[in-house]
Amino acid sequence: MEKFDKKEIDLKVKENLPFKHHWHNQFHLEMPFGLINDPNGLTKLGDTYHIFFQWNPLGVVHKNKCWAHTTTKDFINYTTPELSLYPTDIHDKDGCYSGCGTIENNSIRVLYTCNSKDENNVRTPAQRFGTLQSDGLVKKEEIVVEKNPAGYTAHFRDPNLFEVHGVRHFVIGVQRENETGTALIYREDGNNWKNLGELKTDYKNFGFMWECPGLVNFGDEWILIFSPQGLKEEEYQYQNIYQAGYIAGKMSLDSMEMFHGKFYELDKGFDFYAPQVLHDGNRKILFGWMGMPDKDDEYPTGDEGWKFSLTMPRDLELKKGKIYSKPADEIKKLRKSSVDIKEKSSEIKKSLNKCSESDLNFKLNDSKKINLTLKYSDEQTEIIFDKMTQSVTIDRSKMKLGGKGQRKFKVYADEELNLKMFVDRTAIEIFFQDGEEVATFFVFPKEDIEPELIISSDSAVGVEGKIYELGRFNFE
Ligand code: FRU
């Protein structure tokens, strides 16, 4: 029997939707079995968005990397995800790693990293195009780069296409031989793809590998998104094992450099990595992987047969060198009933539905600390805003299962603080100050219960807003 039986795997996905287990999320993309990671091949053809993502359909470990594929017109109704690309030959036998999507002649094409290891475990990473066919499979086509260029190790992966003056290029993550990370640029030239070398930045020694780079333009400004590995933890940033963020500024491919500001993380939660942007005209829609490499035992869903999710789609805006992330408007269509809040108090309790969105605005008055507690019976997660340090702490130490600990990051709020908090069954995304900061993370409550939201503060705060019950994604 074939290792990857598309028919059987696709059928098994169908049979297991909609999800049954109380840890399965209802408005985050995830699979009923196997392990998913990076969003891949994000594209729009006509009025349809195509979303691929890394998937091991055979187990909950980082092996057997395939691509799954789903489509949607509205980020609410999806086609049932299918197996679309899987290891078949000498080039990608050890994994169809991450890559991007593009439109050519009215078809979806993908460009991905073929991962292959020899008997001595020596890796050869090749970059290959493919075309999505009507049977849901990606037909594998030309290899455009056969292996890592001289001066770089075999950590050479995750190509991502972009255009400058109508010419196609891709940016790709790589490790120098001195074990520092960077990004290379390739330019299409007839049938060849020419290595233009490193895109120079001020970050010359910034982690040991840059995964999943992407160049996104906003008018005449660019951001380089990448996921550097190996940054040192600081008081208010870089608190995960690996980071995901961007630098923003001007870019010249003549001098091959970026003139940019500081590296900002795109998300400060526990579970966000390897994001990719979907280009929809001027709309830049970001999806991240909800998960973290090399932290596998922090995710108890593995015992139930699946791991990880994708974030909700987020619209990106660049203002004064800083990215603001907003939940895509489409998600509003999930709203069902709502409750209005307008209170001034130092303790407010509200019961949430199984899936909810809390859209809250706080007038801080004299209070120095606001504490939002998500209470699941005798377990809880806290989100604490501290005015004196202008920071937020997310504290999962009172949860029984899954990853624990704290994440701490700066959030500036003088008189008012606003947040949009999306609480799915285990996936939580919180947008602070109109998307200036975002924190994405999982909690795994033991019981199948609806959380209670408790807002408490050291003196009365004014709270105004709405709490919505949210519905779930639909798979056709
Ligand atoms: C990031 C990553 C990519 C790689 C893929 C393999 O999470 O390590 O660099 O292509 O995952 O699944």
Side-chain angles (χ1 to χ4, degrees):
M1 206 194 77
E2 266 206 71
K3 188 170 177 189
F4 299 97
D5 185 334
K6 174 169 162 62
K7 238 182 161 168
E8 193 184 299
I9 291 172
D10 288 350
L11 188 66
K12 196 169 150 195
V13 174
K14 242 196 174 108
E15 285 171 354
N16 285 287
L17 286 172
F19 299 121
K20 289 164 204 80
H21 196 285
H22 76 272
W23 277 339
H24 259 305
N25 289 301
Q26 304 293 314
F27 63 97
H28 285 81
L29 278 176
E30 57 187 41
M31 286 302 238
F33 58 92
L35 176 152
I36 75 168
N37 54 299
D38 318 355
N40 289 156
L42 304 179
T43 31
K44 189 181 189 190
L45 179 57
D47 59 358
T48 304
Y49 297 102
H50 290 256
I51 300 169
F52 297 83
F53 49 88
Q54 291 277 288
W55 182 33
N56 172 5
L58 307 182
V60 287
V61 289
H62 284 279
K63 273 190 185 158
N64 308 310
K65 293 302 174 108
C66 303
W67 286 31
H69 174 234
T70 178
T71 67
T72 180
K73 290 184 172 40
D74 56 8
F75 298 120
I76 305 286
N77 296 289
Y78 292 85
T79 52
T80 302
E82 283 182 36
L83 183 63
S84 185
L85 176 64
Y86 54 90
T88 52
D89 64 14
I90 180 75
H91 302 288
D92 64 14
K93 68 181 184 57
D94 296 297
C96 301
Y97 276 16
S98 285
C100 63
T102 188
I103 308 297
E104 259 180 73
N105 304 322
N106 227 24
S107 304
I108 303 283
R109 296 203 82 208
V110 304
L111 173 62
Y112 75 104
T113 299
C114 301
N115 188 40
S116 173
K117 289 181 182 167
D118 70 10
E119 59 283 6
N120 301 318
N121 231 11
V122 176
R123 235 190 248 250
T124 305
Q127 316 306 327
R128 172 152 75 183
F129 274 99
T131 305
L132 179 66
Q133 299 169 298
S134 54
D135 61 3
L137 277 174
V138 168
K139 180 166 166 248
K140 298 177 185 178
E141 291 159 335
E142 72 274 20
I143 288 186
V144 291
V145 186
E146 278 171 7
K147 60 177 204 273
N148 42 311
Y152 301 92
T153 74
H155 292 292
F156 172 60
R157 56 177 171 266
D158 314 334
N160 202 334
L161 290 157
F162 64 100
E163 263 185 35
V164 174
H165 304 311
V167 180
R168 293 202 302 178
H169 297 74
F170 65 79
V171 58
I172 183 164
V174 72
Q175 181 182 58
R176 299 187 189 97
E177 271 175 348
N178 70 2
E179 296 189 3
T180 55
T182 187
L184 298 177
I185 308 278
Y186 282 73
R187 173 179 289 164
E188 185 169 30
D189 181 9
N191 287 330
N192 294 321
W193 287 80
K194 187 168 174 261
N195 181 3
L196 303 184
E198 288 181 21
L199 180 63
K200 286 180 245 123
T201 72
D202 295 341
Y203 289 108
K204 298 192 169 44
N205 185 357
F206 196 63
F208 60 82
M209 171 64 189
W210 292 6
E211 294 192 309
C212 301
L215 275 159
V216 182
N217 81 313
F218 292 83
D220 61 355
E221 303 223 66
W222 288 85
I223 63 168
L224 172 66
I225 293 182
F226 58 107
S227 294
Q229 299 185 299
L231 305 186
K232 231 178 114 219
E233 176 174 346
E234 294 181 14
E235 190 177 7
Y236 293 112
Q237 59 181 359
Y238 309 159
Q239 300 187 345
N240 290 320
I241 177 169
Y242 306 133
Q243 275 56 50
Y246 66 95
I247 51 178
K250 307 273 183 197
M251 179 174 76
S252 164
L253 291 188
D254 294 320
S255 67
M256 282 296 289
E257 63 194 312
M258 247 186 108
F259 306 89
H260 60 86
K262 84 181 258 290
F263 177 83
Y264 287 107
E265 285 170 86
L266 280 159
D267 193 294
K268 299 282 184 26
F270 296 84
D271 303 294
F272 180 91
Y273 193 64
Q276 190 178 99
V277 169
L278 196 165
H279 296 254
D280 177 12
N282 284 333
R283 245 184 118 181
K284 317 287 177 198
I285 308 169
L286 179 122
F287 282 86
W289 168 33
M290 270 198 81
M292 193 49 66
D294 300 329
K295 287 277 168 199
D296 287 9
D297 40 349
E298 296 196 351
Y299 303 91
T301 59
D303 297 337
E304 308 296 330
W306 86 92
K307 263 188 186 171
F308 307 128
S309 312
L310 297 189
T311 64
M312 303 185 308
R314 302 176 181 174
D315 275 85
L316 303 184
E317 244 182 86
L318 181 66
K319 284 193 262 180
K320 295 190 184 150
K322 174 91 177 64
I323 287 286
Y324 287 70
S325 313
K326 305 216 166 143
D329 257 351
E330 285 88 341
I331 299 295
K332 289 185 183 154
K333 285 182 280 179
L334 288 174
R335 290 175 178 172
K336 292 161 117 180
S337 60
S338 70
V339 176
D340 286 304
I341 301 185
K342 195 171 179 179
E343 288 182 42
K344 193 174 171 198
S345 167
S346 55
E347 188 172 86
I348 299 171
K349 290 188 177 180
K350 298 279 167 199
S351 46
L352 300 180
N353 294 98
K354 288 193 169 172
C355 293
S356 66
E357 172 190 347
S358 301
D359 194 347
L360 301 174
N361 199 54
F362 297 91
K363 289 228 169 11
L364 301 178
N365 303 324
D366 292 330
S367 78
K368 302 278 182 279
K369 229 177 211 173
I370 303 179
N371 198 320
L372 278 81
T373 302
L374 282 169
K375 199 163 170 358
Y376 298 86
S377 181
D378 59 344
E379 302 181 85
Q380 63 186 49
T381 290
E382 284 170 275
I383 299 117
I384 306 146
F385 171 71
D386 181 341
K387 191 163 189 263
M388 300 316 284
T389 55
Q390 293 281 299
S391 68
V392 165
T393 302
I394 298 184
D395 188 348
R396 295 191 300 190
S397 53
K398 291 185 188 133
M399 298 301 292
K400 296 198 170 119
L401 302 173
K404 297 196 170 41
Q406 297 185 336
R407 291 292 177 269
K408 225 176 177 180
F409 49 94
K410 287 281 180 183
V411 169
Y412 299 100
D414 185 30
E415 289 177 2
E416 292 193 19
L417 171 72
N418 73 58
L419 58 85
K420 282 193 198 325
M421 177 167 72
F422 293 83
V423 181
D424 204 334
R425 301 315 314 273
T426 59
I428 299 181
E429 298 189 46
I430 312 178
F431 299 76
F432 297 90
Q433 301 297 58
D434 297 316
E436 201 171 331
E437 298 297 338
V438 193
T440 297
F441 56 97
F442 286 112
V443 296
F444 301 99
K446 272 177 38 197
E447 289 172 49
D448 179 5
I449 45 171
E450 301 175 342
E452 187 180 22
L453 173 64
I454 305 169
I455 303 168
S456 55
S457 48
D458 53 342
S459 76
V461 288
V463 187
E464 217 179 310
K466 263 182 192 298
I467 300 182
Y468 302 89
E469 173 184 7
L470 296 187
R472 66 169 164 80
F473 285 173
N474 182 39
F475 294 99
E476 285 143 23

